C-alpha cells in the first residue's frame, strides 16, 4: 500500500480544476493480450471500425496554430499508472515518466520542436472527455480505449497499443476471472472506464464499487475494502508489479485499443498526431515505439512484438 499511496499523494501537476481554455490556448500486430476464451464477452459497439482515424497530414489548421501560438501542448495524463504515466521517484525531481509520457513528448517535439514544451495536467478517468470538450487540454494520452460511444464525444488517433479487460485479485482469492466467481464480491472499477461499462452490462452478481481514479481500486484492494478489480490488463500488470500480493486471473474478455483523444473540432490536430504515430511506429525494433516499450513495459508486459497496425478512413 505504501507504494500506491505514495504515488497518489505526489500530486504536483497543475490542478485540472484551475485550467482554462486560454491556458490551453488493418490487423493489429501481436500485443499483450493472450488468446481470448472461445466466446469472450465483448462491449457492444454500434459503429464499424472505431479504430479507423483520419489520414495523417502535417498541414497546420486552427488547432495546430493555437498550440503554436501558446507555445505549449496541454496534455491530460495520469500520474498514478505505473509504467504508463507516473511519478518516477528514482528520477531527478520525481519527474513524470512512462509509455504514455514518451508519446506526449514525441507529439510536442513534432508540433513545437521541443519535447519539453508541454503542460501536463493530471485528470481522473471520468474527466478525460469533459477536459477535451471544455478546452482544458489539447490531447489526452491516458490509456484511453477507443470505442463507438466515446467517438460521439471526442476524436481519436489511430491505435497505439492493444489491451483487454481482465480481473485483478489477491493471490489465494476464490475469484477465477470474469465469471460466476464474482457473485457477491465487491468489484472495483473506475468511473467512466470500459470496465465500468462491462460490469453494468454483465455483473455476474458482483457488487460494483466505483472510484474516480483506477489506482484508488488498488488501494481499496490492499485495504480489503474490495475483493477484486476489473481494468485493462496493461494497467493491471503494472499494479501487480507494484504489489506482488495480487495477480491477474482468468483471461482478457475484451480486445481494446488505446488512442490519443482530441476535441472533435480539431481535425488538423488528429491528422498531425496520426503523422507522429506513423513515424513513431516506423523502424521495427529500432522504432521509437519499440524503444519506449522495452524501456517502460517489457518488464511487466513481456512478449509484445510491435504496435497495432493503423486503420484509416476517408473524410
Amino acid at each position: 500500500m505504501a507504494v500506491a499511496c505514495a504515488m497518489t499523494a505526489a500530486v504536483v501537476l497543475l490542478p485540472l480544476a484551475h485550467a482554462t481554455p486560454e491556458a490551453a490556448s488493418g490487423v493489429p500486430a501481436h500485443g499483450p493480450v493472450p488468446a481470448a476464451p472461445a466466446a469472450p464477452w465483448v462491449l457492444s459497439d454500434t459503429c464499424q471500425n472505431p479504430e479507423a482515424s483520419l489520414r495523417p497530414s502535417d498541414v497546420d489548421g486552427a488547432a495546430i496554430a493555437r498550440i503554436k501560438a501558446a507555445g505549449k501542448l496541454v496534455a491530460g495524463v495520469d500520474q498514478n499508472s505505473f509504467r504508463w504515466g507516473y511519478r518516477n521517484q528514482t528520477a531527478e525531481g520525481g519527474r513524470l515518466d512512462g509509455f504514455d509520457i514518451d508519446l506526449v513528448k514525441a507529439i510536442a517535439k513534432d508540433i513545437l520542436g521541443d519535447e519539453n514544451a508541454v503542460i501536463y495536467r493530471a485528470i481522473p478517468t471520468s474527466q478525460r472527455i469533459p477536459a477535451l470538450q471544455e478546452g482544458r487540454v489539447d490531447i489526452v494520452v491516458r490509456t484511453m480505449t477507443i470505442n463507438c460511444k466515446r467517438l460521439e464525444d471526442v476524436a481519436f488517433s489511430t491505435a497505439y497499443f492493444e489491451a483487454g479487460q481482465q480481473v485483478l485479485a489477491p493471490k489465494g482469492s476464490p475469484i477465477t476471472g470474469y465469471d460466476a466467481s464474482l457473485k457477491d464480491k465487491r468489484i472495483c472499477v473506475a468511473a467512466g472506464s470500459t470496465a465500468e461499462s462491462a460490469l453494468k452490462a454483465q455483473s455476474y452478481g458482483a457488487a460494483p464499487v466505483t472510484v474516480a481514479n483506477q489506482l484508488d481500486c488498488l488501494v481499496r484492494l490492499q485495504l480489503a475494502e474490495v475483493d477484486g478489480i476489473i481494468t485493462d490488463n496493461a494497467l493491471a500488470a503494472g499494479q501487480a508489479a507494484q504489489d506482488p500480493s495480487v495477480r491477474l486471473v482468468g483471461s482478457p474478455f475484451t480486445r481494446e485499443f488505446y488512442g490519443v483523444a482530441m476535441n472533435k473540432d480539431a481535425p488538423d490536430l488528429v491528422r498531425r498526431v496520426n503523422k507522429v504515430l506513423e513515424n513513431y511506429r516506423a523502424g521495427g525494433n529500432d522504432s521509437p515505439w519499440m524503444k519506449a516499450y522495452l524501456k517502460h513495459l517489457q518488464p511487466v508486459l513481456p512478449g509484445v512484438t510491435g504496435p497495432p497496425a493503423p486503420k484509416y478512413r476517408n473524410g
Side-chain angles (χ1 to χ4, degrees), residues 11-310:
V11 180
V12 296
L13 302 187
L14 290 178
L16 187 64
H18 299 300
T20 63
E22 291 75 18
S25 348
V27 178
H30 296 295
V33 184
W41 183 88
V42 180
L43 290 172
S44 58
D45 266 342
T46 57
C47 61
Q48 293 183 341
N49 295 321
E51 297 87 30
S53 184
L54 297 175
R55 295 190 179 277
S57 171
D58 58 2
V59 176
D60 290 0
I64 297 294
R66 176 175 47 78
I67 292 169
K68 287 184 174 180
K72 296 284 186 180
L73 175 71
V74 185
V77 299
D78 198 351
Q79 66 166 6
N80 294 315
S81 291
F82 187 50
R83 301 284 183 174
W84 288 93
Y86 70 106
R87 285 282 167 191
N88 187 344
Q89 300 302 328
T90 65
E92 182 180 354
R95 69 171 183 268
L96 275 172
D97 205 359
F99 190 87
D100 280 347
I101 304 304
D102 279 7
L103 180 52
V104 171
K105 290 179 178 179
I107 296 169
K109 175 71 174 178
D110 185 88
I111 296 174
L112 297 167
D114 180 1
E115 69 173 22
N116 295 313
V118 181
I119 296 173
Y120 293 101
R121 292 204 165 113
I123 54 175
T125 305
S126 60
Q127 285 298 303
R128 294 177 297 189
I129 289 175
L132 286 166
Q133 292 177 321
E134 296 164 14
R136 291 177 278 164
V137 297
D138 299 313
I139 61 174
V140 169
V141 188
R142 196 186 180 284
T143 58
M144 189 169 178
T145 300
I146 304 167
N147 63 39
C148 296
K149 179 62 177 175
R150 289 173 179 165
L151 282 169
E152 296 175 5
D153 300 313
V154 297
F156 280 99
S157 70
T158 54
Y160 68 85
F161 205 86
E162 181 181 339
Q165 294 294 307
Q166 199 166 350
V167 178
L168 189 72
K171 291 179 178 177
S173 167
I175 296 175
T176 57
Y178 185 66
D179 53 34
S181 66
L182 297 181
K183 182 175 174 59
D184 299 326
K185 299 294 190 296
R186 299 162 299 174
I187 302 300
C188 192
V189 294
S193 67
T194 311
E196 182 184 39
S197 298
L199 204 59
K200 285 180 178 178
Q202 174 60 277
S203 71
Y204 287 107
V209 177
T210 304
V211 297
N213 280 302
Q214 212 286 320
L215 189 68
D216 296 340
C217 282
L218 181 60
V219 175
R220 291 198 177 210
L221 188 64
Q222 291 165 332
L223 294 173
E225 294 177 356
V226 297
D227 303 302
I229 301 168
I230 297 178
T231 187
D232 300 359
N233 61 348
L235 289 174
Q239 293 180 358
Q242 288 176 260
D243 184 351
S245 70
V246 301
R247 64 188 180 96
L248 284 163
V249 295
S251 299
F253 59 92
T254 64
R255 189 181 188 193
E256 301 171 18
F257 298 90
Y258 296 158
V260 178
M262 290 154 281
N263 192 289
K264 291 186 74 173
D265 295 329
D268 61 314
L269 181 57
V270 176
R271 293 182 187 276
R272 187 62 166 265
V273 170
N274 283 338
K275 174 182 173 293
V276 174
L277 285 170
E278 284 283 302
N279 296 331
Y280 205 67
R281 298 183 190 99
N285 289 336
D286 293 324
S287 68
W289 189 98
M290 184 55 72
K291 289 177 180 177
Y293 163 74
L294 292 173
K295 176 183 176 183
H296 298 294
L297 300 179
Q298 196 272 341
V300 297
L301 282 172
V304 177
T305 59

